[in-house]
Amino acid sequence: MYKILVIEDDVMMNDMLSMYLSEEGYSVRQATRAEDGLRTLNDWVPDIVLLDLVLPDRNGIEVCQVIREKSNVPVMIVSMKTEVSERVQALKAGADDYMCKPFSMHELSARVEALLRRSHISAAAETVAETIPEESADHNDPVRLDTERRLLLVRGRLVETTFSEYELMKLFLAYPGKVFSREELINAIRGFDSFVTDRAIDVHIVNLRKKIEQNPKEPRLIRTVWGFGYKYTVDHSAMV
């Protein structure tokens, strides 16, 4: 049984989420304060965290950063805040998804399932990657994908990605040298990241560069095409 931690200070919303998810077959624990939620995270080790941004003792963005420092557990933000800037902040803090209140419980359940699938795929990929020697890396093809196992290797070593980051990298590798507009990149991941915007694409690119570039401040793989979008510049990128 998967375990879900709900950190939400609105008692009625917390109870509603917990009741619905329990009826869906999940084991649920509740917290109405950030510190209680972080203690439960350490002691109970949930499979996913639903986190409100407005909490009585700490800012939700800060809590997300603390969680990400300790764990790779999927974090879904549930918030009344609908501004793009809030979503961008959440992405930068390490959130995996963002739902604006009010929302459909059916959609919530679908997104929880998607995050759990991605989390377990990532864990399986890490196990597989441990068996791949670093010296097997092809330095002419620094980034490779195993599409069956959704495995991203950078110079022979596994790096963690979000679902949207992986989909963007898959697109770049499939069409090296092609210049993609932000709108094309938005369309490529819409459905996985339903609140994606131009600014969110830029955040995903920044995060990808940190993971695949030897010097993210001077990117050589993912290049900016000013006024239009981005392109991947390696001519012999490999998909295995």
Side-chain angles (χ1 to χ4, degrees):
M1 180 183 293
Y2 291 121
K3 300 186 292 185
I4 299 179
L5 170 61
V6 180
I7 307 176
E8 162 68 71
D9 71 326
D10 183 326
V11 175
M12 184 176 298
M13 172 62 75
N14 198 324
D15 287 344
M16 184 172 63
L17 289 170
S18 300
M19 184 180 303
Y20 179 82
L21 292 167
S22 296
E23 290 175 353
E24 290 288 297
Y26 297 106
S27 176
V28 182
R29 288 201 182 175
Q30 300 171 258
T32 56
R33 298 175 62 84
E35 293 306 322
D36 293 338
L38 291 172
R39 278 194 294 272
T40 303
L41 177 75
N42 291 331
D43 298 339
W44 193 50
V45 191
D47 295 293
I48 188 169
V49 176
L50 303 187
L51 174 65
D52 189 14
L53 289 183
V54 180
L55 297 168
D57 52 340
R58 295 180 78 168
N59 179 277
I61 294 294
E62 180 186 345
V63 175
C64 185
Q65 291 171 329
V66 171
I67 292 173
R68 193 51 69 232
E69 289 170 1
K70 298 179 177 182
S71 169
N72 287 324
V73 63
V75 176
M76 179 189 293
I77 301 297
V78 289
S79 176
M80 291 290 292
K81 297 185 176 182
T82 60
E83 297 87 352
V84 171
S85 60
E86 295 292 341
R87 176 165 174 76
V88 168
Q89 275 192 299
L91 285 170
K92 287 183 175 180
D96 297 274
D97 202 353
Y98 193 111
M99 292 196 72
C100 295
K101 304 173 186 174
F103 48 76
S104 157
M105 287 295 180
H106 182 70
E107 181 182 1
L108 172 74
S109 180
R111 291 207 193 188
V112 165
E113 289 178 12
L115 286 177
L116 288 170
R117 282 197 304 272
R118 196 200 81 199
S119 175
H120 286 275
I121 287 168
S122 178
E126 185 169 0
T127 301
V128 172
E130 288 174 355
T131 67
I132 301 175
E134 186 173 354
E135 57 268 20
S136 68
D138 182 345
H139 292 282
N140 291 321
D141 301 322
V143 182
R144 296 188 296 144
L145 298 178
D146 180 331
T147 55
E148 290 186 2
R149 292 171 292 194
R150 298 188 64 83
L151 179 64
L152 176 61
L153 293 172
V154 179
R155 300 172 189 89
R157 303 187 67 179
L158 175 74
V159 297
E160 294 287 340
T161 64
T162 66
F163 201 98
S164 295
E165 289 167 3
Y166 183 93
E167 291 299 317
L168 289 176
M169 203 65 236
K170 183 169 70 173
L171 187 64
F172 283 138
L173 289 170
Y175 299 97
K178 174 179 169 58
V179 180
F180 289 96
S181 68
R182 286 178 174 81
E183 184 64 28
E184 287 175 307
L185 297 177
I186 287 172
N187 290 334
I189 61 175
R190 182 168 283 142
F192 306 117
D193 191 351
S194 61
F195 284 89
V196 68
T197 62
D198 284 10
R199 185 70 184 97
I201 287 291
D202 293 339
V203 172
H204 287 317
I205 294 296
V206 168
N207 290 338
L208 270 175
R209 283 172 170 164
K210 291 177 181 177
K211 294 173 181 181
I212 73 171
E213 299 280 1
Q214 291 181 313
N215 181 359
K217 293 183 179 180
E218 297 181 5
R220 300 177 62 87
L221 299 175
I222 300 177
R223 299 289 188 92
T224 300
V225 180
W226 296 107
F228 191 77
Y230 300 95
K231 68 177 180 178
Y232 187 75
T233 60
V234 174
D235 292 332
H236 302 289
S237 304
M239 294 183 69
V240 295

